[in-house]
C-alpha cells in the first residue's frame, strides 16, 4: 500500500540519495502508517549534514539548524529534514546546546524514545526496524528503546510522552517501561512546563485518557509539575477525552479560586481567558433554574461554550458538578435561545454610554456600566425593544442614579 504524503515526499528522498547520502521517513508518520492511521506530517532523517541539505535544495529554512533540522520547501509543501544524531549528553537533566551528527541510521534511531517511534522506512516502503517496533505496534505495546530507567533518566519528558502515546493509541505500557517511569518520576520537576503542556494537550485529547490519567495519578506525577503540585489531583476524575483548558477550569472550579496560580502554566493570555470563561460559566450554572436565566447565561457565555460544557456533562457529573435540570439545560433549548437572541453583545445595543450621558444630563461614572447591564438584561428578557427611543424612555423610568 502506498500513501499520498509519502508519495509526494519521495522525490526529496531520491534527491538526497542521488548525492550519495541516506534518507528515510521516520517517527510518528511511519508508526501511524503501519497502524493504517491518517498521517499528518512527515519527518525525514538523513546522513547529510544541515549544510549539505541546504546545498541540495534551493528553498530551505534553518528552523533548528543547530539541532540538525532544516525545513525544505518542495512543491508547495514543507518538510522537516533532520540529520542523524546521537543522544546528547545531559547535564543536570538539561540538554546541552551542542549535538553530535553521525552518518549511521542505527545511532539515530537508538536515541529515539519508544520502539514504535524508532522505525525508519525508505522511499520503496521498506522498513528498517532495529528495535522491533513493528512487533510492538502489533502487540500494542509501548516500550522504550533500550533500558527504560536510563532513557527516562536522560529525559523525563519521555515519561509524559509514553503516557501521551498510551492515551492516543490505546496501547499498553510494557512492564519494564512502567517500572522505569515509577523510578524516575521525580525527574519531571526538571522539565520546563512548556514541554509538559505540549504533551498534556495531546494526552487529554486521546481516546484512552482514562487509563493514562489514572497512571499520572498512580505515578504521583502531578506532585512534580508546577500549578498541579498545589492541588490534590486525586479529587479530579477523568474518563473521557476533553480540551486541556476545560480540564484546568475543572481543577480551578473544584479545588481553588486563586487565578494567580494559572501563571505557573506559562500559557497565553487567550488560553487563560478561555479557562476563566469555562470557570465562570461553571460557577454561573449553579443558579440557572428558569428560561430567563438561561437566556442571560447564553448571552454572557455564547453558544459554543454552553454546548461544550453540555457535551462534557458526564465528566462534570463524575466530578460532582451539577448542571441545571435537563428541562432547562438541553441542546435544543440552548440552540433555540441562542437563535432568538435579540442582541449578541453590548455593541449591538442601540444606545451608547455617551447617549446615556447626553440624554440624562449626568456626568460620566460607574453608573453607566450598571445602566448598560440593566438595559441588556431587559432586552434579553424581552421587556425592552432594542430601539434607541424606547431604550431612552425605559432608562428614564428605570435607571436611578
Ligand atoms: P505525533 O504524531 O504526535 O507528531 P511523533 O511520534 O511524531 O507523534 P513528535 O513529538 O513529533 O512525535 O517527535 C517525532 C519523533 O522524534 C518521535 O517519533 C521520536 O522518534 C522522536 N522524539 C521526540 N521527542 C523525543 C524525546 N523526548 N526523546 C527521544 N526521542 C524523541
Ligand atoms: Mg510528529
Amino acid at each position: 500500500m502506498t500513501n499520498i504524503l509519502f508519495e509526494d515526499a519521495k522525490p526529496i528522498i531520491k534527491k538526497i540519495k542521488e548525492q550519495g547520502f541516506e534518507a528515510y521517513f521516520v517517527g510518528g508518520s511511519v508508526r501511524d502508517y503501519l497502524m493504517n492511521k491518517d498521517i499528518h506530517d512527515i519527518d525525514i532523517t538523513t546522513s547529510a549534514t544541515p549544510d549539505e541539505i541546504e546545498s541540495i535544495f534551493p528553498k530551505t529554512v534553518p528552523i533548528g539548524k543547530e539541532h540538525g533540522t532544516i525545513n525544505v520547501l518542495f512543491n508547495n509543501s514543507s518538510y522537516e529534514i533532520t540529520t542523524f544524531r546521537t543522544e546528547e549528553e545531559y547535564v543536570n537533566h538539561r540538554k546541552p546546546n551542542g549535538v553530535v551528527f553521525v552518518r549511521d541510521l542505527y545511532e539515530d534511531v537508538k536515541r529515539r524514545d519508544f520502539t514504535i517511534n524508532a522505525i525508519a522506512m525508505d522511499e520503496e516502503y521498506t522498513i528498517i526496524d532495529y528495535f522491533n517496533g513493528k512487533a510492538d505496534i502489533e502487540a500494542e505495546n509501548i516500550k522504550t528503546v533500550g533500558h527504560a530507567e536510563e532513557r527516562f533518566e536522560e529525559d523525563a519528558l519521555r515519561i509524559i510522552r509514553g503516557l501521551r502515546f498510551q492515551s492516543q493509541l490505546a496501547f499498553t505500557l510494557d512492564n519494564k517501561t512502567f517500572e522505569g517511569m515509577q523510578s524516575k518520576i521525580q525527574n519531571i520537576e526538571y522539565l520546563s512546563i512548556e514541554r509538559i503542556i505540549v504533551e498534556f494537550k495531546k494526552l487529554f485529547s486521546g481516546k484512552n485518557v482514562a487509563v493514562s490519567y489514572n497512571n499520572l495519578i498512580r505515578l504521583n506525577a502531578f506532585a512534580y509539575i508546577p500549578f498541579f503540585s498545589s492541588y490534590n489531583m486525586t479529587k479530579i476524575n477523568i474518563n473521557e477525552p476533553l480540551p486541556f483548558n476545560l480540564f484546568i477550569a475543572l481543577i480551578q472550579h473544584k479545588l481553588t479560586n486563586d487565578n494567580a496560580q494559572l501563571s505557573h502554566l506559562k500559557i497565553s493570555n487567550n488560553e487563560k481567558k478561555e479557562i476563566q470563561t469555562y470557570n465562570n460559566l461553571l460557577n454561573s450554572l449553579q443558579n440557572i433554574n428558569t428560561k430567563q436565566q438561561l437566556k442571560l447565561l447564553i448571552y454572557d457565555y455564547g453558544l459554543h461554550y454552553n454546548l461544550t460544557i453540555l457535551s462534557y456533562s458526564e465528566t462534570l457529573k463524575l466530578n460532582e458538578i451539577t448542571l441545571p435540570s435537563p428541562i432547562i439545560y438541553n441542546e435544543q433549548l440552548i440552540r433555540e435561545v441562542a437563535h432568538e437572541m435579540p442582541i449578541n453583545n453590548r455593541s449591538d445595543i442601540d444606545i451608547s454610554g455617551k447617549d446615556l450621558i447626553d440624554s440624562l444630563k449626568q456626568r460620566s461614572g460607574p453608573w453607566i456600566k450598571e445602566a448598560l447591564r440593566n438595559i441588556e438584561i431587559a432586552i434579553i428578557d424581552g421587556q425592552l425593544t432594542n430601539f434607541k427611543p424606547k431604550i431612552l424612555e425605559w432608562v428614564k423610568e428605570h435607571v436611578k442614579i
Side-chain angles (χ1 to χ4, degrees), residues 27-29 31 40-43 164 202:
S29 61
R31 178 196 67 227
H40 45 95
D41 54 9
I42 277 183
D43 293 320
R164 182 265 265 203
K202 296 180 182 177

Side-chain angles (χ1 to χ4, degrees), residues 26-29 31-32 40-41 43 85 87 90 95 108-109 111-114 116-119 151 155 157-158 161 164-165 168 195 198-199 202:
V26 74
S29 61
R31 178 196 67 227
D32 292 346
H40 45 95
D41 54 9
D43 293 320
R85 52 178 214 231
E87 182 59 54
Y90 286 73
K95 255 189 216 171
D108 182 86
V109 288
R111 60 127 184 134
R112 292 176 183 270
D113 47 8
F114 300 102
I116 59 172
N117 290 343
I119 309 170
R151 302 312 309 285
D155 181 3
L157 187 72
R158 293 171 187 153
R161 283 175 59 83
R164 182 265 265 203
F165 290 116
Q168 288 182 313
R195 288 180 83 203
V198 168
E199 299 299 331
K202 296 180 182 177

Side-chain angles (χ1 to χ4, degrees), residues 7-20:
E7 289 298 305
D8 288 348
K10 248 184 184 179
I12 296 189
I13 301 237
K14 284 193 175 147
K15 239 176 139 170
I16 301 174
K17 284 181 143 183
E18 275 163 23
Q19 302 302 312

